[in-house]
Amino acid sequence: MKPLRIGNKTAALPLIQGGMGVGVSLSGLAGAVAKAGGVGVISTAQIGYEEPDFDRNPKGANLRAMVSHLERARAIAAGGGPCGGLLGYNIMVATRDYEDYVRTAAKARADVVISGAGLPTALPEYVEGTETMIAPIVSSEKAARVILKLWDRRYHRTADLVVIENAHAGGHLGFSRETLSRLYDPVYEAGYDEEIRRIIACVREYGEKYGVPVPVVLAGGIMDAGQAAHAFSLGADGVQVATPFVVTEECDASPAFKQAYIRAKKEDIEIATSPVGMPGRAIHNAFLERVRLQKERITNCRRCLEKCNPAEAPYCITQALIRAVRGDVENGLVFCGDNAQYLDRISTVPEVIRALFPAAAV
């Protein structure tokens, strides 16, 4: 088990905790993961939802909360234990005012910004002159080559890290519904392993051009040592894990949100449609049944996703995610990975890490 080196920074464990919003991976979870030696990631998706002025000034509340949560996460990570970890943000490219969020992250001296839900074409520009590392999330060789070629041509640099997110992941997914219906088909799974190898080869190509190692981390459905070992056998330098961290004591979500994961069976996990038309994996509930039949009335737009039109959206994703994370899991949106069906108890961050890396000293 080798440490994960990202640019000039190193995490003791080859582990990134995936960013989960709204309010699931904040300072509590990210700080605990960094304390244990991994890369703790704070989701910026409506991160300021608990701020008193969130409804009136969502962007201001979010940017302010970004800084305060990173400060709290640093305090947790420094509070004893192995530490040796890093802290960063997950910032969706689809976020309205994306540039302002990234610049706030860099100004706050985050170790890394990880960006998916679109191609982060201008990300290098927003962190220029800072020590914040940057990492695109990709799901195909085509996407990896497009973004790395563009950064090479426009900014004369490459990524510090690349995250490959497969179709087993939670939340918004970069795959068609037809592809998602083929999961666990041995032919599809073997084919995607080859896609992963091609992505890694592409990343290595650009790393060699700039004379820098660019680690590649595999994400989606990973929760035990065997699955982590498979990722490493494909050439990955680390793994990104999200869903298993939800049912930990350190996770920032409400107890009811965690219990929704523990109760979930295989047949409860479905592919829902977000207001911007993207497929996303979630736990079936009364809310999803209701919005299939009738549009939810939206009375206050919190300006979360760039391409969301409240007049046409079937529901407000911000409000649905906030209801869920606060504990109203029947009337909210409960995103999850497809491994939620295997979670049956509340654990801790060190326990999740030991399941992945039995030799880890946590």
Side-chain angles (χ1 to χ4, degrees):
M1 182 178 64
K2 297 180 180 179
L4 181 64
R5 185 167 178 81
I6 309 173
N8 61 357
K9 303 172 188 287
T10 303
L13 297 173
L15 169 68
I16 296 175
Q17 162 250 309
M20 298 170 283
V22 171
V24 179
S25 60
L26 299 177
S27 49
L29 179 56
V33 172
K35 179 180 177 179
V39 181
V41 177
I42 297 169
S43 169
T44 66
Q46 302 296 50
I47 187 173
Y49 78 101
E50 297 281 30
E51 296 289 308
D53 61 341
F54 175 69
D55 285 340
R56 302 189 311 276
N57 179 25
K59 179 181 173 182
N62 287 336
L63 297 181
R64 188 167 61 249
M66 281 180 65
V67 177
S68 63
H69 273 287
L70 185 60
E71 289 173 350
R72 288 200 291 272
R74 284 185 176 130
I76 292 168
C83 200
L86 303 175
L87 286 163
Y89 295 103
N90 180 292
I91 308 177
M92 295 187 297
V93 180
T95 301
R96 198 181 297 266
D97 300 317
Y98 172 72
E99 176 180 350
D100 294 332
Y101 286 82
V102 176
R103 290 191 183 278
T104 298
K107 186 176 180 181
R109 298 179 296 108
D111 293 312
V112 62
V113 167
I114 300 172
S115 277
L119 294 179
T121 55
L123 183 54
E125 178 183 337
Y126 305 153
V127 301
E128 189 174 359
T130 75
E131 294 186 1
T132 297
M133 304 292 113
I134 53 175
I137 299 175
V138 300
S139 297
S140 67
E141 181 196 8
K142 179 181 178 181
R145 194 164 293 280
V146 165
I147 194 65
L148 296 179
K149 183 177 180 180
L150 187 150
W151 286 4
D152 174 33
R153 186 178 70 247
R154 184 181 296 175
Y155 300 107
H156 311 292
R157 64 160 297 172
T158 192
D160 298 298
L161 164 79
V162 172
V163 177
I164 302 174
E165 186 174 276
N166 68 33
H168 294 277
H172 287 115
L173 299 166
F175 296 87
S176 69
R177 283 181 173 270
E178 189 277 330
T179 297
L180 293 171
S181 71
R182 296 171 60 201
L183 287 189
Y184 300 108
D185 176 337
V187 175
Y188 170 78
E189 297 290 349
Y192 196 74
D193 280 355
E194 289 304 313
E195 183 76 3
I196 290 167
R197 292 188 178 98
R198 288 191 290 269
I199 296 170
I200 292 173
C202 173
V203 174
R204 300 284 187 255
E205 175 187 326
Y206 281 91
E208 288 169 5
K209 177 173 182 176
Y210 285 92
V212 295
V214 182
V216 178
V217 170
L218 184 57
I222 298 171
M223 65 183 299
D224 61 36
Q227 292 164 326
H230 180 67
F232 293 126
S233 76
L234 297 174
D237 301 287
V239 293
Q240 178 174 289
V241 175
T243 295
F245 282 117
V246 172
V247 293
T248 60
E249 295 173 1
E250 297 91 340
C251 177
D252 299 273
S254 68
F257 188 91
K258 300 174 188 183
Q259 287 299 321
Y261 275 53
I262 291 171
R263 291 193 304 269
K265 303 293 187 294
K266 180 180 180 179
E267 58 270 23
D268 297 323
I269 299 172
E270 64 178 77
I271 302 301
T273 301
S274 89
V276 291
M278 294 177 67
R281 182 169 284 110
I283 296 174
H284 181 80
N285 60 7
F287 170 77
L288 289 176
E289 290 185 6
R290 189 165 62 246
V291 296
R292 281 196 191 97
L293 301 174
Q294 182 177 342
K295 181 181 182 297
E296 185 177 66
R297 185 164 175 260
I298 300 174
T299 58
N300 181 15
C301 176
R302 279 83 168 188
R303 301 179 58 79
C304 58
L305 300 178
E306 183 67 40
K307 295 184 179 180
C308 181
N309 181 353
E312 300 175 357
Y315 61 91
C316 173
I317 193 168
T318 285
Q319 197 56 51
L321 290 169
I322 289 175
R323 285 196 298 261
V325 80
R326 283 177 169 166
D328 188 1
V329 294
E330 276 303 309
N331 293 297
L333 180 60
V334 186
F335 275 148
C336 69
D338 77 347
N339 54 4
Q341 59 185 297
Y342 303 111
L343 303 171
D344 57 7
R345 65 184 181 87
I346 299 295
S347 64
T348 64
V349 163
E351 286 181 89
V352 173
I353 292 174
R354 282 194 292 270
L356 295 161
F357 312 113
V362 292

